[in-house]
Amino acid sequence: MKNNLLLIAILIAFTSSAQQRLSVTEAQELGLQNNVKVKNAKLEVSLAKKKVLETIGIGLPKINGEVNWQQFLEIPTTVVPANMFVPTAPEGEYAELQFGTEHNSTASITASQLLFDGSYIVGLKASTIYKSLSQQSLQLTEQQIQDSIAAAYYNVLVAEERKDFLKLIAEIHQGILDEVQARYDLGMVEDLDVDRMALTLSNMEIQSENMERMTEVAYLYLKLILGIPLEEELVLTDSLPTLLSQNQTLKIQEPNIENRLEFQLAETQRKLSKLDLRRYQSQFLPSISAFGTYSQNAFRDDFTFFDDDLRWYPTKVIGVKATMSLFDGFSRIAKVQQAKIELEKAKNNQSQVSESLSLAHKVALSNYLTAYHTQKQKSKSLELSKKIYLKTMAKYREGLVSSMELSQSGADYSQAQADNAQAIYNLLIAKTNYNRSVGN
């Protein structure tokens, strides 16, 4: 018995742990942790930071060490005029000489430091701006994912409300069908009334079953965006009435286009294009660097380089080097001209983005106002349809109206409920889009 209780407790604990209870805000936070697009955008930010470090490293000192050993299997022979050593030697006679040792080794350390390079300075600024670009892209991706999660969440709530309503209406009409059947059995109504009510109930049950499947699909889509297992149970803690009450106040704000991430991205792209132009222009300037080398050389007839008694010969060199391309076949000039064109394109794109965002705000405001007033009307229509439906059902039971009128009233009530739920969804989406359009 105790083992059974323990097993039940474990199963309950497992079931509880596999259940997710989420509000809209919690769902958005979870989605930002799990969504693949957000993860990749975060990796792009990390990559941009490493790019900055890579660019900084170009201007830091460079130190290289080198050790080499070589063995002449046959020492090179050089010929010189023999009369250089023997004055009496005839003209045209040469002496064969071999210089050097069989084993040679060199150990050296070379240090260099970039003193000036226009391309490096511009590249350092560009890498920092590129990091800002990746961060802005991450923010925009997170914003888009949040909006997608909210839309999917609202869609589930609408489907749930529609499903529950259709199930309730089907149950009510099942009761009415039972009443009509009982009255028919007593001979009080014709079989036509029974058939009409059965047909109405059948249509309602079909709608209810279809909505059941649509609700399941809505849940699966939400789980997919959230990045949680599709088999995991998901419970939504927010409701449409709660969300509606939070968005029923109509707030009109002035837009701030500069706060829109899309505008900021276009501005950053323009800055990058400007720096790209400067990078090509800076290539007309010289690159200056300092260097120093310390090396030791050893020459041996045998491989005795680790013998402390034998000598190594040092060499020390320091210097400054300036490099400048004098003529490259007009390649740099062409690159500068191309960069100027790209900069103009970036300016045009920024201007177009600004205009598009201004238009998007006006459209979002119009949609928001339309959705706000539509929802108010649909809510009133729902109350009116409910009132008509209840009165028609009462009259039907009293025999004052036909089953046809009751069926039509039920269909009108069902449609009004669907329209109201859709109007709430449209209002929530319109409010989200409007808030984005003003730069919030």
Side-chain angles (χ1 to χ4, degrees):
M1 182 65 178
K2 291 182 179 179
N3 291 335
N4 292 338
L5 291 175
L6 179 61
L7 180 59
I8 293 173
I10 293 174
L11 289 175
I12 292 175
F14 177 78
T15 303
S16 300
S17 64
Q19 184 188 82
Q20 288 274 17
R21 298 179 60 85
L22 301 172
S23 64
V24 174
T25 303
E26 291 169 341
Q28 290 173 328
E29 292 173 354
L30 179 62
L32 292 181
Q33 296 174 13
N34 297 335
N35 190 271
V36 174
K37 290 183 179 180
V38 176
K39 288 181 179 180
N40 286 340
K42 289 180 179 178
L43 290 175
E44 286 294 334
V45 173
S46 299
L47 182 62
K49 292 179 180 178
K50 302 305 179 184
K51 289 285 187 182
V52 172
L53 294 177
E54 178 187 356
T55 305
I56 292 174
I58 296 175
L60 297 179
K62 304 293 186 300
I63 301 176
N64 296 314
E66 182 180 353
V67 176
N68 70 66
W69 161 80
Q70 60 182 7
Q71 178 184 11
F72 286 102
L73 299 178
E74 186 171 342
I75 297 176
T77 300
T78 301
V79 295
V80 296
N83 56 22
M84 291 180 61
F85 302 100
V86 181
T88 59
E91 188 74 23
E93 184 176 338
Y94 292 89
E96 297 178 352
L97 302 176
Q98 287 184 318
F99 295 97
T101 57
E102 182 179 348
H103 296 272
N104 301 319
S105 183
T106 302
S108 65
I109 295 178
T110 302
S112 62
Q113 172 62 56
L114 183 67
L115 300 179
F116 174 79
D117 190 307
S119 297
Y120 169 70
I121 297 173
V122 175
L124 192 60
K125 292 181 180 179
S127 65
T128 304
I129 294 178
Y130 176 73
K131 184 177 72 171
S132 300
L133 180 68
S134 64
Q135 290 171 337
Q136 290 167 350
S137 298
L138 170 60
Q139 293 173 351
L140 182 60
T141 300
E142 289 178 336
Q143 189 180 95
Q144 293 170 342
I145 294 300
Q146 285 179 316
D147 292 349
S148 297
I149 290 172
Y153 194 104
Y154 302 152
N155 189 50
V156 172
L157 293 180
V158 170
E160 280 280 11
E161 182 166 301
R162 184 70 179 144
K163 180 192 71 174
D164 294 340
F165 176 83
L166 290 173
K167 185 177 180 180
L168 176 62
I169 289 294
E171 290 174 354
I172 292 174
H173 277 257
Q174 179 63 60
I176 295 175
L177 177 59
D178 293 340
E179 293 177 9
V180 174
Q181 184 66 49
R183 293 169 64 184
Y184 171 74
D185 293 340
L186 296 174
M188 299 174 61
V189 296
E190 298 180 2
D191 60 347
L192 182 60
D193 292 325
V194 178
D195 294 339
R196 283 176 176 171
M197 190 53 62
L199 179 60
T200 300
L201 177 61
S202 176
N203 292 332
M204 289 181 174
E205 288 175 340
I206 291 173
Q207 293 181 29
S208 180
E209 292 171 1
N210 289 341
M211 188 51 62
E212 284 272 3
R213 288 187 285 272
M214 291 175 64
T215 304
E216 292 176 3
V217 172
Y219 268 109
L220 291 175
Y221 181 69
L222 177 57
K223 292 176 185 178
L224 180 65
I225 297 180
L226 294 177
I228 63 177
L230 299 181
E231 64 275 6
E232 186 169 330
E233 184 180 358
L234 184 60
V235 178
L236 309 187
T237 57
D238 279 334
S239 64
L240 278 182
T242 300
L243 295 172
L244 179 62
S245 64
Q246 297 171 356
N247 292 274
Q248 279 187 325
T249 303
L250 189 62
K251 294 182 179 180
I252 306 300
Q253 300 172 263
E254 288 296 323
N256 189 347
I257 301 301
E258 287 74 16
N259 282 350
R260 294 292 301 272
L261 289 170
E262 295 87 343
F263 180 84
Q264 294 173 7
L265 281 168
E267 171 67 12
T268 304
Q269 290 285 4
R270 184 192 64 80
K271 291 179 180 178
L272 285 174
S273 296
K274 187 175 182 180
L275 286 175
D276 203 37
L277 172 60
R278 290 182 179 176
R279 177 169 69 90
Y280 288 120
Q281 290 174 333
S282 67
Q283 291 179 355
F284 288 92
L285 300 174
S287 175
I288 303 174
S289 61
F291 63 90
T293 302
Y294 174 76
S295 65
Q296 288 194 348
N297 301 285
F299 309 98
R300 306 281 191 267
D301 290 323
D302 300 305
F303 192 88
T304 56
F305 296 108
F306 299 103
D307 191 338
D308 294 336
D309 296 333
L310 298 179
R311 188 176 178 185
W312 287 73
Y313 301 93
T315 301
K316 300 176 183 178
V317 178
I318 59 172
V320 176
K321 179 176 67 174
T323 304
M324 182 175 181
S325 176
L326 300 179
F327 181 72
D328 62 354
F330 305 108
S331 175
R332 283 176 298 174
I333 295 177
K335 290 179 180 179
V336 169
Q337 293 172 342
Q338 292 176 47
K340 288 181 179 179
I341 295 173
E342 292 294 337
L343 178 57
E344 287 301 315
K345 288 170 59 179
K347 290 179 180 179
N348 292 337
N349 289 338
Q350 184 181 9
S351 177
Q352 184 181 29
V353 168
S354 179
E355 291 294 325
S356 299
L357 292 177
S358 297
L359 175 61
H361 168 70
K362 292 180 172 60
V363 173
L365 175 59
S366 176
N367 292 339
Y368 178 39
L369 293 173
T370 300
Y372 180 83
H373 293 295
T374 299
Q375 195 280 320
K376 292 292 184 183
Q377 294 298 323
K378 294 299 182 181
S379 179
K380 292 178 181 178
S381 298
L382 176 60
E383 289 298 323
L384 184 59
S385 296
K386 181 179 179 180
K387 183 178 179 181
I388 293 173
Y389 174 69
L390 293 176
K391 286 185 177 181
T392 303
M393 185 166 56
K395 288 184 177 182
Y396 176 77
R397 283 172 171 161
E398 294 173 2
L400 299 177
V401 297
S402 65
S403 59
M404 185 73 71
E405 292 176 279
L406 178 61
S407 298
Q408 184 60 49
S409 177
D412 292 342
Y413 182 31
S414 177
Q415 185 61 48
Q417 192 277 338
D419 291 344
N420 184 63
Q422 186 64 42
I424 295 175
Y425 174 84
N426 292 341
L427 175 59
L428 295 175
I429 296 298
K431 180 67 178 297
T432 299
N433 294 336
Y434 176 71
N435 289 337
R436 297 300 187 200
S437 74
V438 297
N440 290 343

